[in-house]
Amino acid sequence: MLKVPRAMGKSPEVSRQTKGLNIVRRTTSGRPLLAGLAGVLTLALCVPAAVADPDPGSGGDTPSQAEVDAAKSAATNMKRTVASVQADLVMANQRLQEAGVKAGQAAEAYNAARWKLQEAQRAAAAADRRAAGAESRLEVQTVAYSDMVADNYEMSPEVTALSSMMKQDGSEAMLDDAHTMYTVDSSIEDITKAYDAAAKVAELASDQADDAHDAAAALEVEAESARAEAEAQEQAALSEASAVAAEKDSLIRELANLQDISVSLASRRQSALEAAAQLRAARAAQQAAVEDDAPATTTVDPTPTTTSDEPSDEPAPPTQDPEPSDPPSDEPAPPTQDPEPEPDPTPPPPSSSGAQAAINFARAQIGEPYVWAAAGPNSWDCSGLTMKAWAAGGKYLPHYSVGQYDTATPISSSNLRPGDLVFWGSSSSPSSIYHVALYVGNGQMIHAPRTGRDVTQESMYYWIPPNFYARP
């Protein structure tokens, strides 16, 4: 066949082939071959010179330079798209983390409001007891005062009679009468003063009790508002987790399609990338902590020890947020890792037997669910777990992470010992603390992370580096 440039319009004699443009003759009876050649000439005259065949001698199967350039551009675009998908996965994880932080802040704000309310209620109860005692003492003084008034009224005629007799009996009798009058007046004055004092104390105690009840009522309103906010943030976090899970599932499938691999393999590769990034961040956080507290006396291993929810045969970071379930895969899931870390050859000793009791209690709760504002016996939030753990160790801590920090003795990360408390705050002020965990040694902690994750033991650098430490 004769190869020609592509025509500007369609012709029944022309069709496009895989490589090049060929003229196809109609075989209609009576049409000579010359008609086909005429069509070729007409097409050749209509096509601009810029549209040309591949290089001479390239052969029918060799791509043109334009096709090569298009293929390179497609490859470049694919690489950019893969990077974009991976960036979207990072952003999805970031959104999940931010939602978890907001939920934790709201939950601990509710714990704070509830703790303050409980303190105010205790203060009101104590004020009521003081007011009741003052009222009881006032009743005693009221009886004494009433008796004194009655006695004084009865004595009045006799005292008047004695006074008239004084004028007749002389100075000695007058002195005796004066002494009697002085004694009566002193007794009246003492009783009156005691009654007035008791009345003032009772009034003050009653006012204080009223003020304490007013404060408790205001805090009750605040606690209810904080509870509603905590519920809203919890629901928002759950909704965000669900949305992110679906988004990540879609992104993993897109990534698998772009890389021309299975979804399962794409998921494992992404998990490995996230694990590596997390490990680098953990090591950087540990190094920063060591530099801040140099010379450091405790070496910790930031490597997470727990597995993610996604099937993987490569190390995966512990998930702080609910991950989407992977689609069915024909590849076996990895064996479940032991949540306990490898023992440190020379672990630092617990700060006391109470610390070991706290650790033992917390470890016994591993696997139980997180429920915000819960403090056992079968579900926990972060400060509820540490409160009950240290109660087993013989020390009282409030069910409130900021209160636990205020109750304990602040220390540096280099001085951490098993049983100490590790805190997360959103700023350099302890008042911003919203999460607490129990340090167990070797860089590990036990904590109740958030809704969707059970009580677990893992690296204290698995998530966001902690920024406060204290010893009960």
Side-chain angles (χ1 to χ4, degrees):
M1 292 184 180
L2 181 62
K3 188 180 296 184
V4 298
R6 190 165 81 183
M8 299 303 291
K10 294 183 179 178
S11 171
E13 285 78 16
V14 180
S15 65
R16 181 176 178 85
Q17 303 298 319
T18 304
K19 299 293 180 180
L21 296 171
N22 298 336
I23 296 299
V24 179
R25 290 185 306 171
R26 286 196 175 187
T27 57
T28 305
S29 175
R31 286 185 180 273
L33 179 61
L34 185 58
L37 293 175
V40 170
L41 293 175
T42 303
L43 289 172
L45 293 173
C46 294
V47 177
V51 180
D53 285 338
D55 295 337
S58 63
D61 293 334
T62 302
S64 68
Q65 185 61 47
E67 290 171 328
V68 171
D69 292 341
K72 288 182 178 179
S73 177
T76 301
N77 289 339
M78 179 172 289
K79 289 181 181 179
R80 183 169 62 251
T81 303
V82 167
S84 176
V85 171
Q86 290 173 333
D88 288 344
L89 284 165
V90 171
M91 294 302 296
N93 287 333
Q94 182 66 26
R95 283 168 41 209
L96 210 53
Q97 176 176 292
E98 290 173 355
V101 169
K102 288 181 180 178
Q105 290 172 329
E108 281 303 289
Y110 170 62
N111 283 339
R114 186 173 57 168
W115 178 69
K116 292 175 182 177
L117 173 59
Q118 292 168 350
E119 291 293 302
Q121 289 171 336
R122 282 193 284 268
D128 285 342
R129 291 192 295 271
R130 290 193 298 271
E135 188 64 29
S136 178
R137 290 189 293 273
L138 177 60
E139 289 177 0
V140 172
Q141 294 301 324
T142 300
V143 171
Y145 184 78
S146 298
D147 291 345
M148 179 270 297
V149 171
D151 292 343
N152 186 45
Y153 178 79
E154 293 174 357
M155 289 177 59
S156 293
E158 298 179 7
V159 172
T160 303
L162 288 172
S163 298
S164 62
M165 292 170 60
M166 280 192 311
K167 300 177 182 178
Q168 302 175 5
D169 294 341
S171 60
E172 185 174 349
M174 185 179 66
L175 290 175
D176 291 339
D177 294 336
H179 178 70
T180 300
M181 292 296 295
Y182 176 78
T183 302
V184 171
D185 289 343
S186 297
S187 177
I188 292 173
E189 184 179 1
D190 291 342
I191 293 174
T192 301
K193 287 182 178 179
Y195 171 79
D196 290 341
K200 289 180 180 178
V201 169
E203 182 180 7
L204 178 61
S206 178
D207 289 344
Q208 290 176 340
D210 289 341
D211 291 343
H213 282 284
D214 289 343
L219 287 172
E220 188 171 4
V221 173
E222 290 182 15
E224 179 60 25
S225 176
R227 184 194 63 78
E229 176 65 17
E231 285 184 345
Q233 288 296 340
E234 185 73 7
Q235 289 302 315
L238 290 173
S239 297
E240 185 75 342
S242 178
V244 169
E247 180 181 346
K248 289 186 70 175
D249 183 63
S250 176
L251 289 170
I252 289 293
R253 290 178 180 276
E254 183 181 358
L255 198 61
N257 182 59
L258 290 171
Q259 295 176 328
D260 196 21
I261 58 177
S262 69
V263 172
S264 177
L265 180 57
S267 178
R268 292 202 307 275
R269 284 183 177 179
Q270 184 62 27
S271 294
L273 288 173
E274 292 180 2
Q278 184 182 57
L279 183 58
R280 287 194 299 271
R283 286 174 174 166
Q286 177 192 356
Q287 183 61 34
V290 169
E291 291 174 356
D292 288 342
D293 295 321
T297 58
T298 302
T299 301
V300 295
D301 179 10
T303 306
T305 60
T306 57
T307 60
S308 70
D309 296 333
E310 300 176 348
S312 171
D313 54 8
E314 300 180 46
T319 55
Q320 68 222 348
D321 300 293
E323 300 290 342
S325 300
D326 282 339
S329 172
D330 55 357
E331 301 183 26
T336 302
Q337 293 181 343
D338 185 352
E340 299 294 331
E342 291 296 325
D344 188 348
T346 56
S351 56
S352 67
S353 59
Q356 189 58 56
I359 292 172
N360 293 342
F361 180 92
R363 185 165 285 137
Q365 317 312 314
I366 289 177
E368 295 182 348
Y370 174 97
V371 175
W372 67 279
N378 300 312
S379 59
W380 310 88
D381 70 0
C382 64
S383 54
L385 178 64
T386 50
M387 176 186 72
K388 286 296 181 69
W390 263 106
K395 291 190 178 180
Y396 166 77
L397 295 175
H399 188 179
Y400 168 38
S401 56
V402 173
Q404 291 183 6
Y405 182 82
D406 291 340
T407 302
T409 301
I411 59 174
S412 65
S413 61
S414 62
N415 291 324
L416 277 173
R417 295 188 301 192
D420 290 341
L421 299 176
V422 181
F423 299 88
W424 283 256
S426 57
S427 74
S428 59
S429 171
S431 64
S432 70
I433 289 174
Y434 59 87
H435 188 66
V436 59
L438 187 71
Y439 184 69
V440 296
N442 196 30
Q444 298 285 307
M445 65 179 179
I446 296 174
H447 69 146
R450 54 166 177 74
T451 298
R453 291 197 63 210
D454 298 335
V455 175
T456 187
Q457 177 172 325
E458 57 194 340
S459 167
M460 68 179 185
Y461 292 109
Y462 91 101
W463 180 38
I464 303 171
N467 49 352
F468 297 97
Y469 313 87
R471 181 166 300 148

